[in-house]
Amino acid sequence: MKNYRVAILGCRGRGTAAARAYHAHPRTEIVALCDLVQDLLDTLGDELGVAARYTDLDAMISQHQPDIVAIPTGTEFHHSLALRVLEHGVHIDIEKPLCVDCQQADEVLAKAREKNARIAVHHQGRVGVYMQAVAKALAEGRIGQLRHIHGHGKTYYGGYNLMNIGTHMINNMLKVAGPCHSVVATATTDGHAITPTDVVPSPQGMGTIAGEHITATLSFADGVTATLLQHRFPTPVNPVIEFCGSEGRLVLSQLVWKRDLGAFLLPQPHYALNDQREPWEVLAPIYCESYDPQSSAHPDDYAYVEEYVAALDEGREHECSGSAGHHIVEIMMGIFESAAYGKRVDLPQQDRAHPLLRWRRENGLPPPDPMPRPYAEWLAAEDVRLGRSG
Ligand SMILES: NC(=O)c1ccc[n+]([C@@H]2O[C@H](COP(=O)([O-])OP(=O)(O)OC[C@H]3O[C@@H](n4cnc5c(N)ncnc54)[C@H](O)[C@@H]3O)[C@@H](O)[C@H]2O)c1
């Protein structure tokens, strides 16, 4: 069996997580690292014993001929870096969200097709240990027929929450419900329905956003619907997804914090307080057989690598494929468009430009002024804009 050669482009937090998983997997070998910051290259290179360290990604790829290049960089660089790396005809593993609008996502997918390369988008939760437990329970019919999915994100500002956390949650929804054919959404900022002046640049380079609180309804085949709340809640919450079936419910709480993690099953569709039966069953997480808990790899990142190896062996797409990542961008842009224009948006949308920038343009406004990139500073600036402090 072929071992896959992997190069890591970006050696900070997510690059380190990806590198540890590729290092731990018996079928992948890290052949080179690239970063603009020498200290980061050296820290990761020393930890994993990788001598080939580059600041120029093209030189790295030309000299080491990797099969896969991981692109765990800030989201604003995904589009340009993906196009540049795909030009070499290698497969990519790109952090989520794939891109910040449909136009960018279209271009990345077209380039991959042209170069016969595969894309995996790093939504590792979809193949992670708790989602596997949920998927198994669903496949065994333990909640009967799936009817509805409900999810809420972290406490981030809604539009940023959607791009950052919602992207993972939507991917999990797609796993069980298939493609989404339309969305309806409302968004408020400072207590009023969003206006074109509430369109702002996202923190952390995630494109253009609007809405402090966003509530979206997604429609899937067979009458299945999902609600997605991306609200700036005042107190911390763990992101949760609940799958509601004709005979039971499944809850997945997995994405961010170490506490309250897990998958749970309620063997009845509605919980009655006076019901004597045991309420929630804790489902055991399902790990990859070859996963070593002593390794530094997170089990979800390891499962994601395992799936990439299997996909490449079998000549098929990763479960977290480029086309799934592309569809998630369509859904997120559909949510913004629906909230802005107050209408249902059928997917895929014809107009591929960012809907919030179009909305501003149609209202005689230029793109919004820049805001700070770090989230805390961004929030402070937004509060000043809304006249709350400053
Ligand atoms: N999957 C998850 O669970 C998860 C969690 C958090 C963040 N993310 C995603 O990860 C991404 C951010 O990852 P991060 O926080 O590690 O990124 P970061 O921006 O902190 O670090 C990226 C690194 O890439 C390097 N880099 C950027 N451009 C480069 C270039 N042209 N050549 C060489 N090196 C270059 C930078 O120097 C930097 O060290 C975002 O897209 C975010 O959405 C995913």
Side-chain angles (χ1 to χ4, degrees):
M1 295 285 266
K2 176 179 162 69
N3 273 4
Y4 294 102
R5 298 165 59 78
V6 181
I8 308 287
L9 166 53
C11 298
R12 282 175 67 89
R14 293 306 304 158
T16 300
R20 286 175 177 163
Y22 284 110
H23 181 71
H25 200 282
R27 296 280 314 286
T28 52
E29 179 197 358
I30 300 180
V31 294
L33 305 174
C34 180
D35 203 294
L36 303 172
V37 181
Q38 191 64 41
D39 275 359
L40 294 170
L41 273 173
D42 290 339
T43 303
L44 190 57
D46 291 351
E47 176 186 327
L48 302 181
V50 181
R53 303 170 191 179
Y54 289 80
T55 51
D56 179 338
L57 72 94
D58 296 302
M60 172 179 77
I61 299 171
S62 306
Q63 289 182 28
H64 293 272
Q65 302 288 311
D67 299 295
I68 302 168
V69 175
I71 312 178
T73 63
T75 304
E76 64 268 61
F77 307 116
H78 289 181
H79 172 247
S80 58
L81 287 178
L83 292 179
R84 202 168 143 196
V85 171
L86 285 166
E87 202 56 53
H88 292 268
V90 295
H91 307 305
I92 63 171
D93 160 4
I94 188 161
E95 261 303 343
K96 57 78 198 168
L98 172 60
C99 288
V100 301
D101 63 35
C102 296
Q103 250 167 9
Q104 288 190 350
D106 291 348
E107 286 171 19
V108 171
L109 258 71
K111 180 58 75 178
R113 268 193 305 274
E114 177 199 325
K115 294 289 176 179
N116 205 18
R118 297 199 186 275
I119 301 173
V121 184
H122 212 111
H123 290 111
Q124 72 278 19
R126 176 166 171 166
V127 290
V129 297
Y130 293 112
M131 191 60 198
Q132 296 288 12
V134 165
K136 179 167 178 280
L138 276 165
E140 289 170 352
R142 296 198 63 197
I143 64 163
Q145 195 178 0
L146 181 67
R147 287 178 170 164
H148 183 71
I149 308 170
H150 172 71
H152 67 73
K154 286 180 76 180
T155 48
Y156 292 140
Y157 192 100
Y160 171 58
N161 212 351
L162 177 66
M163 296 298 292
N164 192 357
I165 305 299
T167 182
H168 278 297
M169 304 181 77
I170 294 168
N171 202 31
N172 284 344
M173 291 176 177
L174 298 183
K175 179 182 175 98
V176 304
C180 169
H181 59 73
S182 65
V183 298
V184 176
T186 57
T188 61
T189 294
D190 207 28
H192 61 260
I194 55 166
T195 68
T197 57
D198 295 314
V199 173
V200 285
S202 172
Q204 301 297 126
M206 294 196 180
T208 304
I209 60 165
E212 201 167 20
H213 301 281
I214 298 177
T215 301
T217 304
L218 284 58
S219 295
F220 300 90
D222 303 323
V224 174
T225 52
T227 43
L228 184 63
L229 268 52
Q230 303 291 335
H231 286 214
R232 185 185 174 185
F233 293 127
T235 50
V237 291
N238 211 17
V240 168
I241 307 179
E242 184 164 1
F243 302 89
C244 309
S246 54
E247 290 163 39
R249 296 195 205 178
L250 284 156
V251 163
L252 173 73
S253 174
Q254 69 166 115
L255 290 170
V256 180
W257 297 325
K258 295 275 180 239
R259 65 182 172 84
D260 299 335
L261 295 179
F264 309 91
L265 183 137
L266 183 71
Q268 59 201 59
H270 308 289
Y271 178 61
L273 284 176
N274 60 358
D275 195 312
Q276 296 305 306
R277 285 174 291 178
E278 269 301 300
W280 293 92
E281 174 187 334
V282 178
L283 300 182
I286 299 175
Y287 291 86
C288 294
E289 269 179 35
S290 59
Y291 177 67
D292 174 4
Q294 303 304 319
S295 81
S296 58
H298 189 286
D300 290 359
D301 287 320
Y302 187 91
Y304 172 91
V305 168
E306 170 105 337
E307 165 64 7
Y308 215 171
V309 167
L312 294 176
D313 282 354
E314 294 163 24
R316 62 167 173 83
E317 294 293 338
H318 193 293
E319 196 182 328
C320 305
S321 63
S323 49
H326 178 265
H327 187 39
I328 293 165
V329 175
E330 290 178 334
I331 294 168
M332 296 191 298
M333 293 305 118
I335 289 171
F336 285 133
E337 181 175 354
S338 175
Y341 288 88
K343 61 166 193 176
R344 188 189 73 204
V345 174
D346 294 324
L347 301 175
Q349 53 275 79
Q350 295 293 311
D351 191 332
R352 311 298 287 173
H354 199 302
L356 295 175
L357 294 175
R358 169 162 50 97
W359 196 38
R360 275 183 70 97
R361 208 170 41 247
E362 288 170 359
N363 283 276
L365 295 171
D369 290 335
M371 287 176 69
R373 189 181 188 280
Y375 184 54
E377 289 171 40
W378 185 95
L379 266 187
E382 176 65 351
D383 282 340
V384 169
R385 185 185 78 81
L386 297 172
R388 292 173 177 164
S389 58

